Amino acid sequence: MIVADNETAVDLLYYEAVAKTVVRVVSEKSDEPLSVGVHGDWGAGKSSILMMVEQTFKDDERVLCIRFNGWLFQGFDDAKTVLIETIVEELMKSRSGSQKVIDQGKKLYRRINWMKMARKAGAYGMTVATGIPHPDTLSDLYAAATSVVKTGAEAISVDSLKSVVDSAGAYLKDAEAESTPQQMHEFRQEFETLLEVADIDRLVVLVDDLDRCLPETAIGTLEAIRLFLFVPRAAFVIAADEGMIEYCVRQHFPDLPTATGPATYARNYLEKLIQVPFRLPSLGYTETRIYVALLLVLNECGDDSDTFKKLVPIARAALQKPWIGPGLDRTSLKVAFETIPDAVERALDIAYRIAPILTDGSRGNPRQVKRFINTMALRLAIAEERGFADELNMSVLAKVMLAERFAPEVFDALARGAADTGFSDELIALESHAASDGTETVPVKANRKASSAKKAPKAKEPFQLPDWPNIEWAKRWAGIPPTLAEVDLRPYVFVSRDRRGGYGSQTPLGELDEMLGKLMGPPLQVKQITTEIKRLTSVEAEQLFDALRAKVADAEDLVEEPDGMHGLAAICQHHPFLQASLVGFFRDLPVTKVGTWVMTGWAGAITEAEAKAAYDALKSDWAEQSDNPALSAAAKAAASMGRKRGER
């Protein structure tokens, strides 16, 4: 399932706070004209906020909320008159039972038709004067003149166009008695009367996708909004990227000086038009991690599932104060779920791995995060259909996708190496350089074997770093775990051939880094820090658990017990709420590759009744499977010994 990339009323980023604030600002002074700006980059969530505002006003009969998207009308008509016409039409539709509203609306339509004719009159005059009318001009004139002169459709033909033009010209001549400023003043007066007879407290116009429009359309829409800025009870909420609107202003008014005082003319224009600006912030690490987890569960379970519905309020509670803790914590999840669903466990694990990568690379943009998740899900689905999904490591895939999107030279180096042996000299040099902090000569590991072979010795000759234009970014990228120097990259390059991806950096554990290193050590070293493990808060314990689990899962050889398992056991022993997650981790290990070490030594780490029951069930599954005979035999032997002890 791919998560749809469009606006949604399901709030996964706790933008409800912004939407409610917009609603409050609009509602507090409902008698005053108001313009509110919701600013943010493309994909920041502006359209979703407008949808939430619309949903809030939906059941309020005293408020008429109108959605307008200028991008939909681009190229078809004048943006200014389309916006005005849409507002009048929606007002008349909402009060269709009132004759006063209908009559007043007709008066405004006459003003709108004058605007259309005034705009096109010059072009029509030139066309008729030359005697070579363009078909589009005839069509536009036909429609506009018909509405102005009220002539029947049958009475107008190409042959009688001259008389129609004369009629339209006569109308325009009559209208000259009122100058353009007078026309605008009268329009505002009549529109204010329309709001009065419609008997509403607030007209709210939601203007979306303005930053997608060409400059002419964007400026035309803004000029129409300016027309309403002095009309009481009218409020406009404009969703747009400030930078794009400033660009449109500069393109539309090219002769303006660059700046006046501390601000540009384009900035002054925007600030004059928008009275109350809201700027959507970029997502931080914790917010990205929560968002990734939500998207993954949504992807796997669907938005109607109980799992997703229970997870959303927990996530929103965590998003209220994202600076506290790592995001979704298992203690809160266990309260809601009792037993954390496998889909949520998998999402937490993947989010831990790729959120650091995405936070910086996507620059906190929700759309970029969503596209990254969708791209990764699509590639995994392709790999599954082709039958090599078990050869892909999620963290490795995420790192390869980074280079693919933001460092094409790095990705090309990976692709060149993968075409031959699956390994890249440039990549090995980069990662070695990152590991040595750039203080040592960088040797190349001559790893030219199949992925199942053992590690190769280092090459004797040094290797100079490539002269890439973005070499500094490449160095930072190389330091992101996991290392790829000894990974056969052929399946990753194969599945990534569409060349799309994201960018990010590693978020360190801070003071816990030193303890993480000790937890990766032998049993005696882990035992020496028992007191420190006991003192960990639940948040710290969970952070270390996720870090250790990621390192263990990245191990090439799972036949022998990987480094870090004793650390995981110690954490789970003294922080029992993680024991169910440990069993879930065992369940996710590839049965064909795991050794018998998963069967013994976990009595002290799995003591909770629920976790023990899950572990026993898992051992029964291991005993019945046939893909790993050694594991099956060990599981059967353990079950037999357990029965004998029970008989005694």
Side-chain angles (χ1 to χ4, degrees), residues 224-245:
I225 293 171
R226 185 167 57 88
L227 185 63
F228 291 94
L229 287 184
F230 300 98
V231 178
R233 287 182 282 185
F236 287 81
V237 182
I238 306 164
D241 176 10
E242 294 168 293
M244 286 300 298
I245 298 304

Side-chain angles (χ1 to χ4, degrees), residues 25-284:
V25 168
V26 170
S27 302
E28 277 180 349
K29 298 181 178 180
S30 59
D31 289 338
E32 298 180 9
L34 181 68
S35 58
V36 178
V38 179
H39 302 310
D41 299 332
W42 285 3
K46 304 183 295 294
S47 297
S48 294
I49 288 177
L50 292 192
M51 182 174 286
M52 294 176 202
V53 171
E54 186 177 22
Q55 288 291 326
T56 303
F57 284 127
K58 184 178 180 180
D59 297 324
D60 191 340
E61 295 183 356
R62 304 297 302 168
V63 176
L64 175 60
C65 198
I66 300 173
R67 190 84 175 265
F68 179 80
N69 190 322
W71 193 37
L72 299 178
F73 298 97
Q74 183 168 278
F76 293 98
D77 210 334
D78 174 37
K80 184 185 298 184
T81 54
V82 168
L83 174 59
I84 296 171
E85 208 164 15
T86 299
I87 294 172
V88 174
E89 181 181 343
E90 290 297 325
L91 269 166
M92 294 174 67
K93 190 183 299 183
S94 69
R95 299 293 188 269
S96 57
S98 170
Q99 189 59 45
K100 289 183 178 180
V101 171
I102 300 300
D103 293 341
Q104 189 63 26
K106 289 180 179 178
K107 290 183 181 179
L108 280 165
Y109 272 129
R110 181 177 172 84
R111 299 285 177 188
I112 295 169
N113 288 329
W114 178 88
M115 294 178 194
K116 291 180 179 180
M117 290 296 297
R119 173 176 173 268
K120 298 176 180 177
Y124 298 146
M126 289 295 295
T127 301
V128 174
T130 60
I132 312 175
H134 189 277
D136 290 342
T137 304
L138 293 176
S139 175
D140 286 345
L141 182 58
Y142 179 90
T146 300
S147 63
V148 172
V149 236
K150 306 298 182 185
T151 305
E154 304 82 4
I156 300 178
S157 65
V158 175
D159 294 335
S160 61
L161 177 61
K162 184 64 169 63
S163 62
V164 175
V165 173
D166 291 340
S167 299
Y171 173 80
L172 292 172
K173 186 175 181 180
D174 291 341
E176 287 177 0
E178 291 182 351
S179 64
T180 298
Q182 287 175 315
Q183 284 281 345
M184 296 299 100
H185 177 73
E186 291 298 327
F187 173 85
R188 279 197 288 260
Q189 291 282 356
E190 290 177 3
F191 185 79
E192 188 174 341
T193 302
L194 177 60
L195 292 182
E196 290 176 2
V197 297
D199 191 28
I200 60 173
D201 294 334
R202 193 56 138 168
L203 168 69
V204 182
V205 183
L206 307 176
V207 181
D208 199 8
D209 283 340
L210 200 58
D211 45 13
R212 292 189 181 188
C213 298
L214 294 174
E216 181 181 358
T217 303
I219 295 301
T221 305
L222 292 174
E223 290 295 294
I225 293 171
R226 185 167 57 88
L227 185 63
F228 291 94
L229 287 184
F230 300 98
V231 178
R233 287 182 282 185
F236 287 81
V237 182
I238 306 164
D241 176 10
E242 294 168 293
M244 286 300 298
I245 298 304
E246 289 184 32
Y247 168 79
C248 292
V249 174
R250 290 195 301 270
Q251 294 298 308
H252 194 74
F253 303 109
D255 297 330
L256 285 176
T258 303
T260 173
T264 64
Y265 274 102
R267 169 63 61 172
N268 288 335
Y269 179 93
L270 190 62
E271 291 180 351
K272 182 72 173 178
L273 187 70
I274 296 177
Q275 300 162 324
V276 183
F278 285 84
R279 178 76 189 179
L280 298 184
S282 301
L283 303 182

Side-chain angles (χ1 to χ4, degrees), residues 279-486:
R279 178 76 189 179
L280 298 184
S282 301
L283 303 182
Y285 165 69
T286 299
E287 294 160 307
T288 302
R289 184 177 177 183
I290 294 172
Y291 189 45
V292 168
L294 285 171
L295 290 176
L296 289 170
V297 174
L298 174 61
N299 197 315
E300 182 171 348
C301 302
D303 55 1
D304 289 331
S305 66
D306 290 338
T307 299
F308 182 72
K309 289 179 179 179
K310 286 184 179 179
L311 186 61
V312 168
I314 302 172
R316 293 180 65 188
L319 286 168
Q320 287 182 316
K321 297 180 180 180
W323 61 89
I324 299 177
L328 292 168
D329 66 274
R330 288 177 176 83
T331 302
S332 300
L333 291 173
K334 288 198 72 172
V335 172
F337 290 104
E338 295 183 2
T339 301
I340 301 177
D342 290 342
V344 177
E345 274 290 358
R346 284 191 290 271
L348 292 176
D349 179 38
I350 296 171
Y352 172 80
R353 293 167 179 270
I354 70 174
I357 294 174
L358 284 176
T359 302
D360 292 338
S362 65
R363 294 176 176 84
N365 185 288
R367 176 172 292 157
Q368 295 302 320
V369 173
K370 187 182 292 184
R371 288 189 174 186
F372 190 96
I373 296 299
N374 280 342
T375 302
M376 190 159 55
L378 182 62
R379 291 176 175 178
L380 290 171
I382 292 172
E384 185 176 356
E385 290 296 327
R386 286 182 172 268
F388 64 90
D390 58 341
E391 297 182 31
L392 295 181
N393 178 291
M394 187 74 71
S395 298
V396 173
L397 179 59
K399 186 171 181 178
V400 170
M401 288 171 61
L402 271 182
E404 178 191 8
R405 172 63 178 86
F406 290 97
E409 299 88 353
V410 177
F411 184 83
D412 289 343
L414 303 184
R416 285 194 300 269
D420 183 15
T421 64
F423 306 94
S424 164
D425 288 342
E426 292 92 342
L427 174 61
I428 296 169
L430 272 174
E431 292 192 335
S432 298
H433 186 278
S436 64
D437 297 324
T439 57
E440 302 173 5
T441 303
V442 181
V444 177
K445 296 181 179 180
N447 195 335
R448 298 296 190 194
K449 320 155 299 309
S451 58
S452 59
K454 297 296 181 182
K455 295 181 180 179
K458 294 180 180 179
K460 295 180 180 179
E461 71 280 1
F463 185 89
Q464 297 299 320
L465 290 176
D467 185 20
W468 289 332
N470 57 351
I471 187 64
E472 293 303 320
W473 185 94
K475 291 176 184 177
R476 294 195 301 272
W477 171 85
I480 299 170
T483 58
L484 308 183
E486 297 175 357

